[in-house]
Amino acid sequence: KSSPSFPPATTEALRDVTSTLKVIGMVHAKKGDLETAMNFFQEAMSLLRTMEVVASAGTAGDSGDTDINSSSNNTTNGTAATCLMAATDAAAAVVRETTASVLTRIASIHLKKGDLDSAMTHYREAYDLTIRNRGTTNHPEVAGILHYIGGIYHKRADYDEAMACYQESIRIYHATLGPGNPTVAGTLVMVGSIHYKRRHLDSAMMFYREALRLNRDAYGMHHPDVAPILKSIGTILTKKGEYEEAYDIFRDVLSIKCTVHGTDHPEVASAYKSLGNVHYKLGDLADAERQYRHALSIYRKCKGEEHPDTVAAKTTIEHLRYWMRERDHRRQMEQRQSRSSSRNNQLGASSAMANDMDDERSC
């Protein structure tokens, strides 16, 4: 008898169900409801595992009863068997492709929850399935999974392993999509961040600028993917003491974030803080305090008085005001000392003149 298998229509319907479950899970993940998202992803995975078992059984089974004494029947049944095996192989490939996709979603939930080991296990399984399904490592889906595996090594501070994954991901993206495709920009940024952590600021800047060029050319300047790269570039310029250029970069970041998020958003508050930091480095404490007050106002509206970001902004403002008072006090003391020194010099000069006059009279 034939091995059990789903008819093509049933396979298609089951694939649609798993895809729907995956999309629902993605919506919950986007809303931050990770547990519900995981439940939907695992339900999809359970269905996919069943489909995988059935598809494997269909591939391993025979093609049904045949009449070995009839060459005509042999030819007909052989053709039918070949078609059936091709259809079964195609169904198995679809199952593997969908399974790999759901595995990456499950891995992302583990990653957000901080379970790096489970995330790595699921990404590795998705990587193997994708290579098996595509028949090659040179595919953008493989590059994407390598990017995430590199990200886990990155979080573990295993920078050599992370760099190896990122570089292979970049190679695959360039080979399959071309060097000008913006898909590679996110991986370039991660390579730049490793160089930054290693204090290789010039190398980090090179990767950040290339990622910026790709995203800006593809999406324009006012795009959510452009602002974070600009911020990283501005941070490096600040580290290198190039404050004027850093300030211009952070003003662009503020403009982009206001366009993308509106004026009352935590991302906009972060941009104001970056501007405030540059003012502080330049010694413009009043301007630094003004930028931090903008940030504080936004945090109060969006996050409330007790949120750590709000408290941190208030603390920074208090420190800035203290330093401004201390600076003003020092200036006053210096002015008093200068005036006192000037008076003493005048008195000394007058005393010297008087002594000279006394000497002249005595002569």
Side-chain angles (χ1 to χ4, degrees):
K1 292 184 178 180
S2 300
S3 299
S5 63
F6 293 128
T10 303
T11 301
E12 185 74 20
L14 289 172
R15 187 181 66 175
D16 290 344
V17 170
T18 56
S19 296
T20 302
L21 290 169
K22 184 184 76 170
V23 171
I24 294 173
M26 290 167 59
V27 172
H28 283 288
K30 186 79 171 178
K31 293 165 63 178
D33 189 353
L34 301 184
E35 293 300 331
T36 303
M38 182 66 87
N39 289 337
F40 278 99
F41 291 146
Q42 288 178 335
E43 186 177 350
M45 184 56 63
S46 177
L47 186 56
L48 285 164
R49 295 299 190 199
T50 302
M51 294 171 65
E52 185 178 2
V53 169
V54 172
S56 298
T59 303
D62 57 40
S63 60
D65 296 331
T66 60
D67 182 358
I68 60 173
N69 295 317
S70 169
S71 60
S72 175
N73 284 343
N74 284 342
T75 303
T76 302
N77 289 334
T79 303
T82 301
C83 293
L84 178 59
M85 288 180 64
T88 304
D89 288 343
V94 168
V95 171
R96 287 196 301 270
E97 181 179 351
T98 310
T99 300
S101 177
V102 175
L103 282 169
T104 61
R105 298 297 173 180
I106 292 175
S108 71
I109 298 296
H110 285 302
L111 193 59
K112 289 177 181 177
K113 294 169 72 173
D115 188 351
L116 300 186
D117 291 339
S118 294
M120 179 66 86
T121 298
H122 285 83
Y123 277 131
R124 286 287 186 191
E125 186 178 354
Y127 175 80
D128 292 339
L129 273 175
T130 302
I131 291 176
R132 180 183 171 192
N133 210 39
R134 299 301 179 184
T136 178
T137 58
N138 280 339
H139 193 279
E141 291 176 8
V142 176
I145 298 170
L146 274 174
H147 171 94
Y148 290 117
I149 291 173
I152 294 176
Y153 284 122
H154 200 150
K155 284 181 176 293
R156 290 173 172 169
D158 190 346
Y159 298 134
D160 289 337
E161 287 292 338
M163 185 69 84
C165 290
Y166 291 148
Q167 288 175 336
E168 179 63 8
S169 178
I170 291 169
R171 185 198 68 77
I172 296 171
Y173 278 136
H174 284 170
T176 56
L177 302 178
N181 192 288
T183 306
V184 75
T187 311
L188 292 171
V189 167
M190 299 308 290
V191 172
S193 78
I194 290 179
H195 283 299
Y196 179 79
K197 288 180 182 295
R198 289 174 165 172
R199 302 182 185 278
H200 304 158
L201 298 186
D202 290 338
S203 295
M205 181 69 85
M206 180 182 68
F207 280 94
Y208 287 145
R209 288 199 181 279
E210 176 62 11
L212 175 64
R213 182 188 68 80
L214 291 172
N215 278 341
R216 188 176 53 200
D217 290 350
Y219 309 123
M221 193 65 176
H222 286 79
H223 188 273
D225 290 344
V226 171
I229 305 174
L230 277 175
K231 183 177 179 180
S232 296
I233 291 172
T235 300
I236 291 177
L237 291 170
T238 303
K239 287 275 188 184
K240 296 174 73 175
E242 300 175 20
Y243 301 127
E244 298 295 339
E245 188 177 353
Y247 188 81
D248 291 339
I249 291 288
F250 287 135
R251 285 183 62 185
D252 288 339
V253 173
L254 177 62
S255 174
I256 294 169
K257 289 186 175 182
C258 285
T259 300
V260 173
H261 302 294
T263 56
D264 290 331
H265 191 278
E267 287 293 324
V268 175
S270 174
Y272 278 121
K273 284 166 54 180
S274 296
L275 289 169
N277 291 337
V278 175
H279 280 300
Y280 171 75
K281 294 289 187 180
L282 290 168
D284 303 329
L285 300 185
D287 286 331
E289 190 256 359
R290 176 173 56 84
Q291 300 290 1
Y292 264 89
R293 279 193 284 110
H294 286 311
L296 176 60
S297 175
I298 294 171
Y299 284 140
R300 279 174 168 163
K301 291 178 184 177
C302 299
K303 299 188 174 184
E305 289 289 341
E306 305 303 321
H307 192 276
D309 289 340
T310 307
V311 173
K314 286 193 289 187
T315 301
T316 301
I317 290 171
E318 290 169 2
H319 288 164
L320 287 168
R321 289 173 177 172
Y322 170 79
W323 293 328
M324 283 189 287
R325 289 194 299 269
E326 287 292 303
R327 181 192 60 187
D328 293 342
H329 178 69
R330 285 196 302 272
R331 286 177 178 174
Q332 291 173 0
M333 293 297 295
E334 289 170 357
Q335 289 173 356
R336 289 173 184 171
Q337 290 174 357
S338 177
R339 287 195 296 267
S340 175
S341 177
S342 177
R343 284 197 298 269
N344 289 337
N345 289 337
Q346 290 175 357
L347 288 173
S350 299
S351 176
M353 290 176 63
N355 289 335
D356 289 344
M357 292 175 67
D358 289 341
D359 291 341
E360 288 177 1
R361 282 195 294 269
S362 64
C363 291

